[in-house]
Amino acid sequence: TGPPPVLRYNLNNVTITNTPVKNRESVLILTPMARFYQGYWDNLLKLSYPHELITLGFILPKTKEGNAAYAELDKQITKTQKFGPEKDRFRSIIILRQDFDPPIPSQDEAERHKMQNQKPRRAAMAKARNSLLFTTLGPSTSWVLWLDADVIETPPTLIQDLAFHNKPVITPNCFQRYYNAEKKRMDERPYDFNNWQDSPTAQKMAAQMSPDDILLEGYQDMATYRALMAYMYEEGGDIHYEVPLDGVGGTALLVKADVHRDGAMFPPFSFYHLIETEGFAKMARRLGWHAAGLPNYKVYHYNE
Ligand code: GDP
Ligand code: MN
């Protein structure tokens, strides 16, 4: 028994390429989770990226709802990791319980999306994402996939397809299936409005704001005239059609680990009048990394 071993990592040897399976690159899937949806877990299991290269990280609030989600998550993890087929098992799983309370008690969609709730809610989400990121990012992580707990349907090749573009930050288009009462059939609509290209109007609005104020997207009282990726979807269009983005959402977001290692995080404060994931895109940009989006590549959000 000598002194404790020194662990050495050569970050140069951690490849981040557009053929990550071939190069056996490690992926960290990070999910902030207020509620557990079986659809999320089932979809996760179906991802065809080799599970032995995937580490999962979760952060759950210490609320009644968070406790319930934790219990269900724990049950599914045991089922998969202990009793499931070898190929389903992930390399490792980390679960964090949040050390601060959510700013708004109710998580119902209407309450969540009220404009006056946005700043405290998005700030809390940003802190949750940062806690998760800074405690789980490892020296051998190549990619970080941010995947919200209510994203219940993606192509099984999600990771490979996004990585194929070899972009520092890339996101698919997040839609939602719902029952269209008028057409009397199932239909779908855009869900994530945080993927956008900036506009002169938004720039002008930002210039007139006080330092702590933030711009929000998707609110009529704050028309920004940004170009939203949500509306760039074209039926039958090439799924690999790529557009540059200035703001991103977090529903499904693939990030080269180097971007986070350089220091890009989720500002829980007004950063260029942007917060959380949108602020992250801006911070990545200031570090020289440009975000991209795939308007025709769809993933689906749960419909509450
Ligand atoms: P929305 O889809 O934009 O309304 O945002 P969500 O409320 O779905 O939040 C985004 C992600 O964060 C989802 O995966 C939620 O389960 C999760 N989430 C929401 N609130 C909290 C929270 O207070 N703490 C943690 N750890 N996760 C949360
Ligand atoms: Mn959501």
Side-chain angles (χ1 to χ4, degrees):
T1 67
V6 175
L7 303 177
R8 293 169 207 276
Y9 293 92
N10 210 333
L11 289 174
N12 284 332
N13 296 339
V14 180
T15 66
I16 309 178
T17 66
N18 66 349
T19 52
V21 177
K22 196 175 131 219
N23 292 323
R24 308 277 305 158
E25 292 169 9
S26 296
V27 178
L28 177 63
I29 301 184
L30 296 181
T31 300
M33 181 178 278
R35 289 176 181 175
F36 178 85
Y37 292 107
Q38 192 58 43
Y40 162 86
W41 188 259
D42 294 344
N43 183 69
L44 198 65
L45 286 188
K46 281 190 233 148
L47 291 182
S48 62
Y49 199 86
H51 288 198
E52 77 266 18
L53 297 175
I54 297 178
T55 292
L56 305 178
F58 299 93
I59 186 163
L60 296 88
K62 269 200 105 53
T63 55
K64 211 174 143 201
E65 211 178 30
N67 292 345
Y70 175 82
E72 290 190 70
L73 175 64
D74 194 50
K75 209 162 52 187
Q76 293 306 317
I77 288 175
T78 305
K79 206 168 134 194
T80 301
Q81 298 295 95
K82 268 208 180 132
F83 306 110
E86 193 88 25
K87 67 156 186 44
D88 279 2
R89 298 182 199 171
F90 297 98
R91 177 195 283 170
S92 56
I93 301 180
I94 300 156
I95 305 179
L96 307 179
R97 297 308 298 273
Q98 215 165 285
D99 57 2
F100 57 91
D101 292 327
I104 56 165
S106 164
Q107 284 290 342
D108 291 325
E109 191 170 323
E111 185 69 21
R112 269 197 339 253
H113 292 169
K114 274 186 193 157
M115 198 162 170
Q116 74 268 24
N117 284 337
Q118 290 316 296
K119 207 163 128 184
R121 186 180 87 93
R122 300 282 306 272
M125 282 306 311
K127 285 188 190 172
R129 290 188 195 279
N130 288 336
S131 294
L132 184 56
L133 175 63
F134 291 129
T135 53
T136 58
L137 188 73
S140 57
T141 311
S142 290
W143 300 91
V144 177
L145 176 68
W146 290 94
L147 191 63
D148 275 356
D150 41 22
V151 171
I152 50 166
E153 189 186 331
T154 72
T157 49
L158 177 71
I159 296 169
Q160 298 92 314
D161 293 343
L162 295 179
F164 172 74
H165 285 257
N166 207 9
K167 286 284 167 301
V169 178
I170 191 163
T171 183
N173 213 350
C174 185
F175 273 58
Q176 182 178 55
R177 297 189 192 281
Y178 73 105
Y179 182 73
N180 187 327
E182 230 164 78
K183 296 182 185 166
K184 293 204 173 62
R185 61 166 173 81
M186 285 307 288
D187 203 348
E188 51 182 63
R189 58 191 170 205
Y191 184 85
D192 195 341
F193 297 116
N194 291 336
N195 299 310
W196 45 257
Q197 297 171 336
D198 213 352
S199 70
T201 307
Q203 291 280 308
K204 220 172 289 161
M205 287 163 83
Q208 287 158 5
M209 283 180 155
S210 49
D212 285 341
D213 285 344
I214 54 166
L215 284 164
L216 297 166
E217 194 47 69
Y219 293 86
Q220 266 170 15
D221 293 348
M222 199 189 261
T224 61
Y225 299 97
R226 288 165 175 157
L228 306 186
M229 184 170 79
Y231 299 131
M232 294 178 194
Y233 169 73
E234 278 189 63
E235 182 110 44
D238 178 8
I239 58 163
H240 285 295
Y241 169 60
E242 194 184 299
V243 297
L245 294 175
D246 299 302
V248 299
T251 46
L253 184 68
L254 187 72
V255 181
K256 288 190 177 182
D258 279 353
V259 176
H260 286 313
R261 274 195 282 267
D262 277 359
M265 48 73 154
F266 301 91
F269 48 81
S270 162
F271 179 72
Y272 291 81
H273 303 288
L274 302 172
I275 199 164
E276 206 215 351
T277 54
E278 296 163 289
F280 161 73
K282 184 70 178 180
M283 201 175 288
R285 179 69 151 263
R286 295 291 285 117
L287 287 160
W289 303 105
H290 292 232
L294 303 179
N296 298 325
Y297 194 100
K298 287 191 282 192
V299 302
Y300 292 90
H301 189 280
Y302 185 82
N303 184 16
E304 281 169 43

